[in-house]
Amino acid sequence: MAVHLMSLARRLRRALGTDAVVTEEAALRTYECDGLTHYRVTPGLVVLPESAEEVRFVVRECADAGVPFVARGAGTGLSGGALPVAEGVLIVTSRMRRILDVDLANQRAIVEPGVVNLAISQAVRPSGYFYAPDPSSQVVCTIGGNVAENSGGAHCLKYGFTAHHVTGLEVCTPDGELMWIGAGKAAETAGYDLVGVFVGAEGTLGIATKVAVRLLRAPQAVVTVLAAFRTTEEAGAAVSAIIAAGLTPAAAEIMDALAIEAAEKAVGCGYPQGAGAVLLVECDGPAVEVVAQVDDVETLCRRTGAFALRRAADDAERADLWRGRKSAFAAVGRISPNYIVQDGVIPRTRLAEVLHDIGELGRDAGIRVANVFHAGDGNLHPLVLYDARVPGAALAAEEVSGAILDLCVAHGGSITGEHGVGVDKATKLPRMFSADDLDTMQLVRCAFDPRHLANPGKVFPTPRLCGEQPRHREAEAVPAVPTGTELW
Amino acid sequence: MAVHLMSLARRLRRALGTDAVVTEEAALRTYECDGLTHYRVTPGLVVLPESAEEVRFVVRECADAGVPFVARGAGTGLSGGALPVAEGVLIVTSRMRRILDVDLANQRAIVEPGVVNLAISQAVRPSGYFYAPDPSSQVVCTIGGNVAENSGGAHCLKYGFTAHHVTGLEVCTPDGELMWIGAGKAAETAGYDLVGVFVGAEGTLGIATKVAVRLLRAPQAVVTVLAAFRTTEEAGAAVSAIIAAGLTPAAAEIMDALAIEAAEKAVGCGYPQGAGAVLLVECDGPAVEVVAQVDDVETLCRRTGAFALRRAADDAERADLWRGRKSAFAAVGRISPNYIVQDGVIPRTRLAEVLHDIGELGRDAGIRVANVFHAGDGNLHPLVLYDARVPGAALAAEEVSGAILDLCVAHGGSITGEHGVGVDKATKLPRMFSADDLDTMQLVRCAFDPRHLANPGKVFPTPRLCGEQPRHREAEAVPAVPTGTELW
């Protein structure tokens, strides 16, 4: 370990206690990656603070020593956002898991960043409330990580992303200051809304040390419908019809034939025989409304080609319908030794077109691609299957995977919906933004972190040199709309 | 006119045409204030661009000449956010009123900043859609102004503020670059979410030149209930009960006795005799749900003390119930020659307490205060009545008005909900934020506008000296939560 890290470790041990600082090589290695396991870096040292004040202390020590730092929650991220820096400090929030306050009358809670996503709903469920964003890792992932990545989940079609449910934050800025941003219990605040830019900044603007979240009333009724179609195009058309009819399901998820095959092998979910695609639609709300909605959903599914429909009204039946979907990612491991999960977004109306093109890309390359997606949001999760033991297979899968993101961008979409840019897609950001646009975005980063100590190497492909003044750039001939989007 | 402004005017005339630049004193004076008429400044010159490209040209000319600029939509703002700068350029967007694209399948529209708020809903209503944010000035106010102030309206209880309905923006940065921020037609984008901080930045980060907005399906049914109570406390309790029951009305508005009196005098709205407060609750959604909701609302109102209930099911009846509320601000002019409208926010659960304290403040000062408020959001609009002809009356009203904001802050709220800080409340921002917090907020402003050319003098009481590096400040003994909010 470098001498300056050793002396930093000593200072941190003195302040936080011996067991709060990890320096032993084998122990450090357990933190070398997050959910995106093909990027691995052993951190210089690991610190486990227990309070906001301790985070502030650690960050200030890092700032003083010019040492980069990375925050980590449960390490379930899928873009390498929590990948450590070799000569840096990894700040792990797992000891900060107190729910500090629950205020049901104002429908707010304040929690520490290490609180597990599901733990909030568990704490307030007996009172009839829940916390809406539900990433599929919600039994282990933490709110701090959700804030960094602006996590979504199956139900963000109706409820929105983490950004829509965080009303205020205490953050530790990269120079080691604690600062409250956003509103307290009131609905609005004054001045700049820094919550919006902090949520989803992937730890590059600082570390959330307290998170104020909105609590929602649990819906009176929840009903799930499974519709089986011959093709994903039909299933996509059903989603378009449902939304065009003014219905707002809580979730609308599609799995294609290959994803179904994998799920059947893994958990025997018993989806209808011969399904080329299944669509799961969940409606929630007042009982009287939900029944009417589900009737409409079923009618529209039949009209767009569903050949089998199943309706689940109680929790056990619902869990049964969801089992295949929830197991899909893991299940793909049953039919392929390796796979890459992508996270592209497209306008919902382009679903059929893009799925067709993804199919062609796969066929041309001789690579199987399973599709699982949040259809209502146009958020695709293509799983590109390969066998790492076959020479060249990993590279070919990477290429198909990259081509899928190009497709999404070409259709006016995004290279990430809910997994973040992280280290994985930083080099792909220029497919969406010009160098000038990325430079302007980084003005904010430079404002908060001119020395790039907070999670360096993430999000942006090229760190902006800070300290430059905004300058006049050459007038561009093209209109300033997202790359690949026609001016609509 | 200063020489450098004369030469700037010449260059702008050459590029934009003679009639796009106003320099005549009498004409300039028509732009001297916005809806907050007691601040008046005649602008140095006024420019009326017709396109984003023209805005870019004007802003770059200003940047090159070091001349400050202020954007103005319809001038209906209530915090002086569009107050001109004497030696600056006022950029008026009234000629930029094209709806550039409507894409119903993706529920998105792109509009120019000078488009009137209501014009969007009018354009898409025949197809069954609407644009949700509805400030009471919506027949004249523009989307550009709504973006600057993050405008709300009676229905933001259910639908949220402008920030929740803007998905992307083309902005002209203070150095004269056009840049797209946020998503196109897709649900999500990558990188920093600059839309969140731009919306509500009151023109201090640049000028929106194109606005992408979400379109919602018009609800199948809308039903309004008017409940009359003896006291505002009872009406407030009804709102708490409604929300605690898990109902989400589209709007929940309260008027107190003095506001009712004014409305009766102005428009003869015929609210129930003897009402010390009226509560208007509007429910919308699928017909079957709305009827059930309204039944529940009425039951809860009766339970909390309503002595009269009226239900309006068709548009004419609804308009009748809303007439008093919609006229309230103007109507107050009938019972008082002058008044100050405030815009404080409190946690909803503090309504009864704060209303009681406002009553006391008024009584102690011998000043009448009428209360009209978005009860569901805890967004108060107290109207402090006075007669400017009486010596000292204006000052006394200002004092009561300021004391009301102090009350809001002391209860964990905000000095503004939807009108913005502008020039009016800039000096009051330190009541909510420490000097250090305001400095940190201004890091973003410095990043975009280090020379403070974009709407200078607004929002922040003291401009931060840009170019300083973030620095370590003295560790504070107090926790970093909003001033006045207990750590909950």
Side-chain angles (χ1 to χ4, degrees), chain A residues 433 437 480-482, chain B residues 110 168-171 178-184 210 212:
Chain A
F433 300 101
D437 283 357
V481 291
Chain B
I110 287 202
L169 289 165
E170 184 191 71
V171 304
L178 292 181
M179 176 189 180
W180 187 274
I181 59 177
K210 290 189 182 74

Side-chain angles (χ1 to χ4, degrees), chain B residues 301-457:
Chain B
C301 285
R302 258 187 234 105
R303 203 174 289 164
T304 47
F307 68 86
L309 287 165
R310 291 181 191 167
R311 186 191 288 209
D314 67 30
D315 286 354
E317 284 177 23
R318 289 201 304 113
D320 211 49
L321 292 189
W322 275 102
R323 201 150 45 93
R325 168 63 185 87
K326 296 220 163 169
S327 73
F329 283 20
V332 164
R334 293 281 189 124
I335 61 166
S336 174
N338 305 91
Y339 63 90
I340 298 167
V341 187
Q342 271 306 357
D343 175 43
V345 185
I346 50 169
R348 196 180 50 238
T349 47
R350 301 294 176 80
L351 268 180
E353 213 175 322
V354 173
L355 287 172
H356 172 265
D357 292 353
I358 291 177
E360 288 216 322
L361 274 175
R363 271 188 301 278
D364 289 353
I367 283 179
R368 292 182 301 167
V369 181
N371 284 291
V372 176
F373 46 100
H374 307 315
D377 294 314
N379 187 186
L380 310 176
H381 289 316
L383 296 122
V384 181
L385 314 189
Y386 68 99
D387 183 344
R389 295 162 304 186
V390 177
L395 191 66
E398 277 287 354
E399 272 169 16
V400 167
S401 182
I404 290 174
L405 293 188
D406 285 341
L407 256 183
C408 292
V409 172
H411 283 85
S414 166
I415 58 171
T416 176
E418 52 186 12
H419 297 172
V421 176
V423 68
D424 189 38
K425 279 166 289 193
T427 55
K428 300 187 177 81
L429 214 52
R431 298 184 194 186
M432 289 181 69
F433 301 100
S434 72
D436 282 345
D437 284 356
L438 288 171
D439 244 26
T440 307
M441 237 184 239
Q442 288 201 75
L443 286 176
V444 177
R445 183 181 202 165
C446 287
F448 279 82
D449 184 22
R451 295 188 292 158
H452 294 311
L453 295 179
N455 213 8

Side-chain angles (χ1 to χ4, degrees), chain A residues 64 101 105-106 108 175 177 180 185 192 204 217 244 288-289 348-349 450 469 471-473 480 488, chain B residues 64 101 105-106 175 177 179-180 185 192 204 217 243-244 288-289 348-349 450 469 471-473 480 488:
Chain A
D64 286 346
D101 187 68
N106 284 306
R108 296 283 189 279
D175 61 335
E177 296 295 327
W180 188 273
K185 291 187 186 189
Y192 288 172
T204 60
R217 278 296 291 218
V288 59
E289 177 196 350
R348 196 179 51 237
T349 49
Q469 295 301 320
R471 66 199 187 287
H472 288 172
R473 288 155 290 200
W488 41 289
Chain B
D64 287 344
D101 187 69
N106 284 306
D175 61 335
E177 296 294 329
M179 176 189 180
W180 187 274
K185 290 187 184 187
Y192 288 172
T204 59
R217 280 294 296 215
I243 288 169
V288 58
E289 177 195 350
R348 196 180 50 238
T349 47
Q469 295 301 320
R471 65 196 189 290
H472 289 173
R473 289 156 289 200
W488 41 285

